[in-house]
Amino acid sequence: MGLSLIAAIIFLWYPADSKAQNTPPIKVGSEIDFPPYAIVDANGHASGFSVELIREVAAVMGLSIDIHSGEWNDILLEFKKGNIELLPLVALSKQRADMAAFTKPHTVTYDSFFTRKGSQPINSIADAKGKEIIVMSSDAAHEQLAASGVSVRIVEVKTIPDAMRQLAQGRHDAVLVSKLIGHMVLRKLKLDDAIISGPPINDYNRKFAFAVQKGNTELRDKLDHGIAIVRATGKYDAIYGKWFGDIEPRAEFPWRKIIWIIIIICTVLVLISIWIQMLRRQVEQRTAELQKEVAARRVMETDLRQSYEGNKRLLDALDNVAAYIFIKDMELRYVYANKLTLELFNCTMDELIGSTDARFFSAGTIEGFLANDRRVIENGEVSEKEEETMPKSVGKSIVYWAVKRPIYDAAGKIYGLCGVSTDITERKRMEEELKELNKTLTDELVERRKIEEELKTYKDELEDIVAKRTEELTEVKDRFRTAFDFSTVGVAITSPEKGWIEVNAEVCRMLGYTKDELISMTWTELTHPDDLEADVRLFNRVLDGEISGYIFEKRFICKNGSIVFSSIFINCKRSSDGSVDYFIAILQDISGRKRMEEELKRLNINLENAVVEETQKRRQNEQMLIQQSKMAQMGEMISLISHQWRQPLNAISLTVQDIKDAYNYGELNERYIQGIVDTTMGQVNFMSKTMEDFRNFFKPSKDRLQFNVKCTIEELVSMFEELFKKSGVDISIEAKPGTILTTNGYPNEFKQVILNLINNSKDAISSKHETGPQGLIGINIINNEERDKIIVLIKDNGGGIPEDIAEKIFEPYYTTKGEKGTGIGLYMSKTIIETNMGGTLTVRNVDGGAEFLITLGISNFECVSPPS
């Protein structure tokens, strides 16, 4: 019943052309031997599935047709000449796209290669390379094979039966044809035992459609509507079943089981006959009711036709509304949409009716508004909210303001919903822009608060210096605090013609005008004459597309004639053609700042001495942090000292034990004792040197000294080499002959920097190479091209530094090691190199790891690397 109702609606929406009876019949061309699609019956008349289908479609659409039969090549030639207007059976292909206008496909079939039994099967067009393939001339298989580019010999015949006969006679290798049609021809020719088919090929399929002359879209659309009606009424299924129902092989009839089934059926039939007698009266009564309903439905159909004509003006008006209007039924299928909605979906009303949102919107973007639709249908709610989704025809996300209401029938029952959606994507984008501007202003406010906190810190230190200016400074500070705490930012939207479109309260307060007064003026009228030319020049550069915006300090003339200094930030919104739609202006009153700048200039002179004192304090703090960083590694160093002392202590212990044995055996003489003394003192000297090396390492460098970079690094590495080998890390140091190695600085602090960097590399290698290959740290010392810098490159294979933290690793107290790290190592390393030694320290990722680069100045007293 639902399909019939849809068919009736489609029929009412597209009524048959009343002039069809007065026009000459449409000339239709059909093939004579393409079963079961197109054949000629015993009386010489056109028949087959496609012939019956076009007759049924013509009938429901009120079209008069005249069918002519012939061989495919002849029919196709007449169609191309224009003597035939319609072909009911044409396979769609790229080669035929410009030949005709096609309806939507009415059937689909797949082709196969038919070969003689016992020969090699062919499963694809590529498998046919070098073979002789029979095809029907100008058929879809002929066109596909010719366009494939595969080297085959194509043999053309007029009909499919001719092709099968030649193959059965042992001529050529295979026939390429529809698998279904091929089997029907073989059955008819009784060649089933001689020829077999391969599997359906995946190279293409045949989508059969009606073809009309190019440009005759009116006839094509009518045929599409006719096919939809025939499908909806069930007539299509009946025609399909007639011509294709008996093609599939039938299973052997189950004779043994059928007897029991017949007995059961007979018993059921007896019971059913009794039940039928009881229902007969009810059926008669229901029949009478249905007859009344049919009569009422006919009246309704008449009313619908009249309603459509009567409401045509309303529908035309809805098509001109700048909103998306649609109606859905209880299953959320579309039953109506206005012109703007159809353009968004890129479909016709016929294609829309009966479709769901899954056809028009991308998967994963429709659940939200479908939930709203269900609440409207099931609960009778009125939905008014934002809905964001992605129409397939647009390919990008769109935000709508959607209003959806239930539709009630005369009895007050909901039978659908009506929706009106407005595109608010641009408005949402502007809101995001304003949020971004507010964020920028918030960041500036935070920065100003930071400056204020710094001024508070310096205030205590400068009390003695600025004692005579205390009252003056307090007054300035109070004015600055008052202006800062109670100031807000002005925001305005202006036009390309320099007019005010929208302003906020701060702009009105700043300039002394009301909002209505400003909107009636241009900003050029309020700009100080001395600033107008520069401002307009920047404004015109934005209009011309040279820049996207600008920041400018200017003076405004207030309503009362006073002058206000303002810092303005200008940006623009452009349309798709590149022209400017409007400008966004951020205005900040900087009159107070201008006055403070003069005061700060005078204060800068007094601040110089304080800066020198603060610099000295910071130097002392940095020295303390360096020592803290050294002490943070004390545990590892003590462990290393213990390891280095273990061997000499064992040697001394063995020597002492040997003295007793020498005494017992009478070997204790002067020569023996001298040997014991030499051995023991050698071990003690080694232990003393170890302690001296570590004591010097922990001793801060007070004065800048000239030192050899390579020798200093080698001294450090020799101290900790055992520790790194224990961690599975090898360290290499290289400097090419002739490299200048002497610099000025603090050698112990420089050692601390190198230790921090190679320790970080060791930790990175250990976390990456727990079960992997050997860790490597390469230290390469070079000079730049001008030979006025020493560059130390420290490269490891520890996997590198993630890009998102590369800029943060030199910040104080930033660590990636959790509780194991202090976060001061790299910060102090950068401070030592850049602040104390006047160099630079940077890092970059290289293949397989990270590389730190230390750049230092060269000492006047040069020390070069000796030849290797």
Side-chain angles (χ1 to χ4, degrees), residues 169-216:
Q169 293 167 5
R171 300 163 61 186
H172 315 301
D173 296 309
V175 175
L176 180 58
V177 69
S178 164
K179 188 178 181 75
L180 174 65
I181 296 170
H183 278 293
M184 294 193 67
V185 170
L186 289 177
R187 183 185 302 178
K188 181 179 178 181
L189 298 177
K190 298 181 179 181
L191 296 175
D192 305 67
D193 295 334
I195 298 175
I196 60 173
S197 69
I201 62 175
N202 296 323
D203 300 273
Y204 68 94
N205 58 25
R206 296 181 186 240
K207 295 180 180 178
F208 289 119
F210 295 158
V212 301
Q213 292 294 333
K214 194 76 172 179
N216 194 351

Side-chain angles (χ1 to χ4, degrees), residues 128-135 145 150-156 172-174:
K129 182 178 180 181
K131 298 185 182 296
E132 297 181 359
I133 308 300
I134 310 172
V135 294
L145 199 59
V150 178
S151 176
V152 298
R153 179 171 176 260
I154 300 175
V155 180
E156 300 180 37
H172 315 301
D173 296 309

Side-chain angles (χ1 to χ4, degrees), residues 10-25:
I10 296 174
F11 184 75
L12 289 172
W13 192 273
Y14 296 97
D17 191 351
S18 61
K19 297 180 182 180
Q21 303 297 329
N22 300 325
T23 58

Side-chain angles (χ1 to χ4, degrees), residues 520-591:
S520 65
M521 305 171 70
T522 64
W523 53 261
T524 56
E525 300 176 54
L526 306 177
T527 301
H528 193 281
D530 294 342
D531 299 332
L532 182 58
E533 181 180 353
D535 196 0
V536 171
R537 183 168 60 252
L538 292 171
F539 182 85
N540 289 335
R541 290 184 65 191
V542 177
L543 282 178
D544 294 338
E546 296 179 13
I547 55 176
S548 60
Y550 62 92
I551 299 175
F552 185 63
E553 291 187 1
K554 61 183 287 186
R555 288 165 289 180
F556 282 104
I557 303 174
C558 299
K559 185 176 181 179
N560 60 7
S562 62
I563 302 298
V564 59
F565 286 87
S566 175
S567 176
I568 61 173
F569 171 78
I570 304 295
N571 208 335
C572 70
K573 167 64 176 63
R574 298 185 185 275
S575 59
S576 58
D577 61 359
S579 61
V580 176
D581 283 344
Y582 56 85
F583 288 84
I584 300 174
I586 307 299
L587 290 74
Q588 185 175 7
D589 187 349
I590 60 171
S591 300

Side-chain angles (χ1 to χ4, degrees), residues 216-277:
N216 194 351
T217 56
E218 179 180 0
L219 176 56
R220 180 200 62 193
D221 293 342
K222 287 183 178 180
L223 294 175
D224 272 329
H225 301 326
I227 292 173
I229 294 172
V230 171
R231 285 184 186 274
T233 58
K235 190 64 178 177
Y236 177 92
D237 294 333
I239 298 172
Y240 192 91
K242 172 182 176 181
W243 290 98
F244 296 98
D246 62 344
I247 294 175
E248 295 294 330
R250 299 177 180 175
E252 182 181 354
F253 194 76
W255 293 106
R256 296 181 179 179
K257 296 181 181 179
I258 201 62
I259 296 175
W260 287 103
I261 296 175
I262 292 173
I263 294 173
I264 296 172
I265 290 175
C266 290
T267 304
V268 173
L269 287 175
V270 172
L271 296 175
I272 291 176
S273 63
I274 298 172
W275 180 66
I276 289 175
Q277 292 297 326

Side-chain angles (χ1 to χ4, degrees), residues 273-288:
S273 63
I274 298 172
W275 180 66
I276 289 175
Q277 292 297 326
M278 296 173 64
L279 292 178
R280 182 171 294 170
R281 293 182 181 180
Q282 297 180 16
V283 171
E284 291 175 354
Q285 181 180 357
R286 182 58 181 161
T287 300

Side-chain angles (χ1 to χ4, degrees), residues 704-718:
R704 293 177 67 93
L705 303 173
Q706 289 184 347
F707 65 92
N708 185 298
V709 172
K710 182 181 178 184
C711 293
T712 303
I713 295 175
E714 288 173 342
E715 289 173 6
L716 174 75
V717 171
S718 67

